[in-house]
Amino acid sequence: MKGFSLLSLVLPKGSLERATLELFDAADLTVRRSSDRDYHAAIDDPRVDRVRFLRPQEIPSYLERGLFDLGITGRDWITETGADLVSLGELRYSKVTTNPVRVVLAVPEAAPWRSVSDLPEGIRISTELPSLTSRYLEEHRIKAMVVPSYGATEAKVPDIVDAIVDLTETGSSLRRNGLRILDTLLTSYTELVANAAAHADPAKRAAMEDIALLLRGAIEARGNVLLKLNVPAALAAVTAMLPALSSPTITALARGDMNAVETVVPKHSVNTLIPALKAAGARDILEIPISKIVE
């Protein structure tokens, strides 16, 4: 354990849970627990002492109070709570797509309002983010009744409230419920965030940065594979076909007329790229999965 500082880690329970577990597994920080319902967990890593799962709404406040050193939650909930935290950067993964979650103001499709300035005084708005919503309405000088919601917010329109402020990733649920997005209050990615006092400790900060590096490397590797192939030395046309993070690595083989080439390429293009490389003269083509890319 010498050289490491034990961290307490809090991870999101709920919609982000599966994606978070998959990310940590890809980063060689596999989270182990007795069952999916267990809120306590462990990571077999000397930098991590204990792991808890909590709702992402709660995580910023608990981190700010020092109950945990490091955690994952959304910028939406950090903004809602106003928690004073240190961000170690965005982790661009989420429950459905790699797109950010948006906090949006949505109204019934048939409503006459086309911008936030059109909203009438006294409009009823339901949301799970009442503080963020109230600040937004105040900025736009809209006098509204903000009604806290505890789930199924979109189902409350129009018989209980007139509009909602809700989280959406694709907008499909809003459309299914006959709602139209009027404005976007916030664009939110998932973030790795730390308690300020813990981050100020050099040993803990070093451990946090190690974990951040592994997680970012796992995210960077997603959707990419490593291609290895042998190419006739004079065949520049083959290497010109290869996309890469920077440029292909080319090594002369013992046979002077051949070069070994390595490059990282998007997985989605491999089905057309490999036949094209073969037709252009490449040989011994290998496609290798990548678990991390650390730049």
Side-chain angles (χ1 to χ4, degrees), residues 116-193:
V116 63
S117 60
D118 295 334
L119 297 179
E121 182 174 342
I123 186 173
R124 301 165 301 168
I125 302 176
S126 181
T127 182
E128 294 184 39
L129 298 141
S131 295
L132 175 60
T133 301
S134 295
R135 290 195 297 268
Y136 169 81
L137 293 169
E138 186 176 343
E139 288 171 6
H140 288 82
R141 300 182 179 180
I142 302 297
K143 294 182 179 179
M145 177 187 297
V146 177
V147 182
S149 175
Y150 302 96
T153 305
E154 65 272 16
K156 297 179 172 69
V157 181
D159 52 332
I160 298 176
V161 296
D162 308 301
I164 65 170
V165 169
D166 205 6
L167 304 173
T168 184
E169 194 169 337
T170 65
S172 58
S173 179
L174 295 174
R175 290 190 293 272
R176 283 196 304 270
N177 284 275
L179 297 170
R180 165 172 50 87
I181 295 175
L182 198 66
D183 197 10
T184 297
L185 284 67
L186 179 71
T187 298
S188 172
Y189 279 102
T190 306
E191 288 188 41
L192 183 66
V193 287

Side-chain angles (χ1 to χ4, degrees), residues 226-274:
L226 177 67
L227 279 190
K228 301 180 74 170
L229 52 149
N230 293 334
V231 178
L235 234 140
V238 173
T239 55
M241 297 169 61
L242 294 170
L245 292 178
S246 52
S247 61
T249 300
I250 302 175
T251 306
L253 296 178
R255 284 180 53 190
D257 62 338
M258 294 293 290
N259 287 331
V261 179
E262 293 186 7
T263 187
V264 175
V265 301
K267 173 71 173 174
H268 66 79
S269 68
V270 166
N271 60 331
T272 55
L273 181 59
I274 288 180

Side-chain angles (χ1 to χ4, degrees), residues 56-120:
Q57 298 95 312
E58 302 173 294
I59 288 174
S61 297
Y62 287 139
L63 278 169
E64 183 182 39
R65 289 163 52 193
L67 298 179
F68 301 95
D69 298 316
L70 188 66
I72 288 179
T73 188
R75 173 51 52 179
D76 45 355
W77 297 116
I78 298 168
T79 304
E80 168 67 14
T81 59
D84 182 16
L85 302 172
V86 177
S87 176
L88 278 77
E90 293 176 345
L91 298 175
R92 296 201 172 196
Y93 77 100
S94 56
K95 58 185 177 181
V96 178
T97 70
T98 56
N99 297 326
V101 169
R102 290 181 296 153
V103 179
V104 300
L105 170 64
V107 300
E109 184 61 52
W113 316 307
R114 295 297 158 182
S115 71
V116 63
S117 60
D118 295 334
L119 297 179

Side-chain angles (χ1 to χ4, degrees), residues 211-240:
I211 290 171
L213 180 73
L214 294 171
L215 294 173
R216 286 196 299 267
I219 291 172
E220 185 67 28
R222 289 181 171 181
N224 292 298
V225 295
L226 177 67
L227 279 190
K228 301 180 74 170
L229 52 149
N230 293 334
V231 178
L235 234 140
V238 173
T239 55

